[in-house]
Amino acid sequence: MLPQKQAEEAIVPNFSETENEARQEELEDEHSMFNVKSFLWHGGSAWDAWFSCASNQVAQVLLTLPYSFSQLGMLSGILFQIFYGLMGSWTAYLISVLYIEYRTRKEKENVSFKNHVIQWFEVLDGLLGPYWKAAGLAFNCTFLLFGSVIQLIACASNIYYINDHLDKRTWTYIFGACCATTVFIPSFHNYRIWSFLGLGMTTYTAWYLTIAAVVHGQVEGVTHTGPKKLVLYFTGATNILYTFGGHAVTVEIMHAMWKPQKFKYIYLLATLYVFTLTLPSASAVYWAFGDELLNHSNAFSLLPKNGFRDAAVILMLIHQFITFGFACTPLYFVWEKVIGMHDTKSICLRALARLPVVIPIWFLAIIFPFFGPINSAVGALLVSFTVYIIPALAHMLTYRKASARQNAAEKPPLFLPSWTAMYALNAFIVVWVLVVGFGFGGWASMTNFVKQVDTFGLFAKCYQCKPPPPPTITANATITTHHH
């Protein structure tokens, strides 16, 4: 009996101490922005959220957008980017409104979120009930799972352009082990320095692609035949839908802010910055290489190997590691809540508890090593619901009653002041994404995906690698002599 009592006594003061520490830390954060720890580690300002959104929105997609342009043609490529970019900003705004609504209602009931990270499925649960929670959880987790898988495949695909002594599958094993270290990063508060670096890296890579393509000039006999086939057209469109659907982690990023109300337009500002990276780079690479891109889903594979390209590859690798953490962290939270470890203070204990999340991701990356087609499939089947349809429907249902609209924590925005206009816009998004994104996009990307599996097979050792050169040279030589 005695040891138990001692243990109990030990727990109580510790708990209040940790609470005090947390409060103290918050105060320090607010007052001393120059404190090194808070400078590098504790991010919760509007700027941090902007960096998180912007660096999380484009990572590997920068390298697949020229491939999408080759499927869509230049004009459609540019128009789809602007269209989906604005649509994505709007649904991110809706998610932020619903989060504020949920949090306001809960705080009226004196619920504290001291050691708890609010997630999207909990917002849906609180506002619309358990069925919505289940749908939100299923789509979000599957999307983030495949998002993480894509980052791993992309790591292997990129490093191969610098060092092809190992095949891509071996590189996937190595990067899986590296990315597993993200289990030690507690929450989105702690991504400040990473988001900042991540955005710098994508900015460098985007401008490298643009300048390198312009300097390289058009390849001999370049053709720009897109759009040629419906399957390719809708696959390309869905990849762009996926590009601007990076906000499955919006709620977690908002929750890490000191004043989440400020989030409203942050996503739009992040998207506008992202346009300055994606539009020039995709257009320039497509202009230079044209239809060659149809067989090269990674833009690096066509550009000449030099120091600038290697630097871009290495920066993208580091960025993928960061994006892997971004996509995995919400999964870690869900898993911690399932096994009852979410309140645990010890970083090491939590890291151990999170490991089972990384293993299936690693395994899937080895089974399906083609990220271009996966991007489109994930875009059509998961992003369409997670990021566009569910938020728009949830907003319509949350505010369907006049009383809910009167007591709304957030009124409609200045540029769209009436509830009716908001309803009309949300209804349009739901129908458009269902028909074009999920319907046509799902059909096209699954057709493309199955074709890749048939061509390369599962567990492909080295997907889209160049065949070894010596045999082709000898074959050519024999043909020439024979001809003479």
Side-chain angles (χ1 to χ4, degrees):
M1 202 45 209
L2 195 66
Q4 191 187 351
K5 195 159 191 239
Q6 278 178 326
E8 274 174 20
E9 278 176 15
I11 288 166
V12 175
N14 264 353
F15 177 65
S16 53
E17 263 172 41
T18 47
E19 222 176 28
N20 288 341
E21 269 174 32
R23 277 197 200 126
Q24 195 56 44
E25 255 183 41
E26 265 186 19
L27 287 173
E28 274 177 23
D29 274 357
E30 303 250 335
H31 293 304
S32 77
M33 288 303 284
F34 299 106
N35 172 343
V36 173
K37 187 180 172 189
S38 79
F39 181 69
L40 298 179
W41 190 245
H42 286 285
S45 67
W47 277 105
D48 287 305
W50 183 83
F51 276 117
S52 291
C53 289
S55 75
N56 192 30
Q57 205 173 35
V58 284
Q60 190 53 33
V61 172
L62 260 184
L63 308 175
T64 59
L65 280 174
Y67 166 64
S68 302
F69 268 48
S70 68
Q71 295 166 321
L72 287 164
M74 187 78 84
L75 181 67
S76 292
I78 291 170
L79 291 177
F80 268 120
Q81 273 205 41
I82 293 168
F83 176 62
Y84 282 138
L86 296 175
M87 195 197 276
S89 304
W90 173 253
T91 50
Y93 167 76
L94 296 180
I95 292 173
S96 72
V97 168
L98 294 169
Y99 167 85
I100 302 278
E101 182 68 42
Y102 168 77
R103 191 159 175 173
T104 313
R105 288 183 194 181
K106 283 291 177 206
E107 280 171 354
K108 277 180 189 159
E109 299 164 21
N110 293 327
V111 177
S112 157
F113 295 111
K114 188 78 200 129
N115 286 334
H116 185 92
V117 176
I118 299 176
Q119 291 187 273
W120 177 226
F121 67 90
E122 291 164 321
V123 172
L124 289 172
D125 186 25
L127 298 175
L128 297 167
Y131 291 117
W132 280 83
K133 173 188 178 175
L137 196 55
F139 277 112
N140 231 18
C141 289
T142 320
F143 166 51
L144 291 166
L145 179 82
F146 277 101
S148 311
V149 170
I150 288 168
Q151 297 312 321
L152 266 191
I153 299 168
C155 283
S157 170
N158 285 350
I159 188 75
Y160 185 77
Y161 295 119
I162 290 185
N163 180 340
D164 53 10
H165 298 314
L166 297 175
D167 59 76
K168 289 182 184 178
R169 190 169 63 193
T170 310
W171 280 118
T172 311
Y173 290 130
I174 294 168
F175 277 101
C178 297
C179 287
T181 55
T182 55
V183 294
F184 288 104
I185 301 179
S187 82
F188 281 100
H189 262 311
N190 315 112
Y191 272 99
R192 166 175 279 186
I193 189 73
W194 292 118
S195 306
F196 179 71
L197 289 173
L199 194 58
M201 292 164 190
T202 42
T203 304
Y204 170 85
T205 306
W207 286 108
Y208 155 73
L209 288 174
T210 311
I211 296 163
V214 172
V215 169
H216 181 279
Q218 291 188 309
V219 289
E220 211 174 313
V222 69
T223 49
H224 297 89
T225 50
K228 200 163 45 173
K229 289 191 183 136
L230 270 182
V231 172
L232 292 179
Y233 189 80
F234 284 109
T235 309
T238 317
N239 191 27
I240 293 183
L241 178 84
Y242 170 82
T243 308
F244 295 99
H247 44 287
V249 290
T250 305
V251 174
E252 289 84 356
I253 291 174
M254 278 184 80
H255 191 84
M257 290 174 73
W258 293 310
K259 296 194 177 80
Q261 292 82 351
K262 286 185 177 174
F263 186 85
K264 282 184 287 191
Y265 300 115
I266 285 177
Y267 200 86
L268 176 63
L269 296 172
T271 303
L272 294 176
Y273 179 76
V274 166
F275 282 155
T276 68
L277 306 181
T278 55
L279 288 167
S281 62
S283 314
V285 176
Y286 178 53
W287 167 82
F289 296 101
D291 292 348
E292 275 190 32
L293 282 156
L294 287 168
N295 301 319
H296 294 85
S297 50
N298 189 326
F300 280 150
S301 60
L302 288 172
L303 289 161
K305 186 174 164 57
N306 57 28
F308 292 114
R309 191 189 79 167
D310 289 355
V313 173
I314 290 164
L315 292 178
M316 283 314 272
L317 282 172
I318 303 169
H319 190 273
Q320 258 129 23
F321 168 77
I322 299 166
T323 315
F324 182 89
F326 262 94
C328 252
T329 302
L331 289 175
Y332 296 152
F333 292 156
V334 173
W335 177 244
E336 285 169 3
K337 286 170 189 173
V338 169
I339 58 170
M341 294 281 283
H342 190 57
D343 299 340
T344 313
K345 280 283 179 186
S346 155
I347 289 186
C348 294
L349 255 178
R350 278 175 77 177
L352 248 172
R354 288 168 166 194
L355 272 177
V357 178
V358 182
I359 291 158
I361 292 173
W362 205 350
F363 188 62
L364 283 166
I366 291 159
I367 299 180
F368 302 112
F370 13 89
F371 71 85
I374 287 189
N375 271 2
S376 306
V378 169
L381 308 178
L382 300 169
V383 176
S384 53
F385 283 95
T386 307
V387 168
Y388 299 97
I389 296 173
I390 292 177
L393 276 177
H395 190 272
M396 289 160 84
L397 289 173
T398 303
Y399 297 110
R400 66 187 181 281
K401 293 186 180 136
S403 59
R405 292 195 291 274
Q406 266 170 339
N407 303 324
E410 287 281 340
K411 298 288 180 253
L414 293 171
F415 59 88
L416 207 69
S418 83
W419 286 99
T420 321
M422 283 188 83
Y423 259 70
L425 181 58
N426 288 344
F428 166 75
I429 288 176
V430 171
V431 173
W432 174 276
V433 176
L434 255 181
V435 176
V436 178
F438 180 70
F440 288 118
W443 159 74
S445 52
M446 285 322 287
T447 311
N448 191 14
F449 188 75
V450 170
K451 194 181 115 205
Q452 300 291 338
V453 173
D454 290 344
T455 319
F456 289 96
L458 303 176
F459 294 102
K461 197 166 184 181
C462 213
Y463 170 72
Q464 277 191 354
C465 299
K466 287 178 181 157
T472 50
I473 293 166
T474 51
N476 284 349
T478 37
I479 289 165
T480 345
T481 45
H482 194 79
H483 181 74
H484 282 304

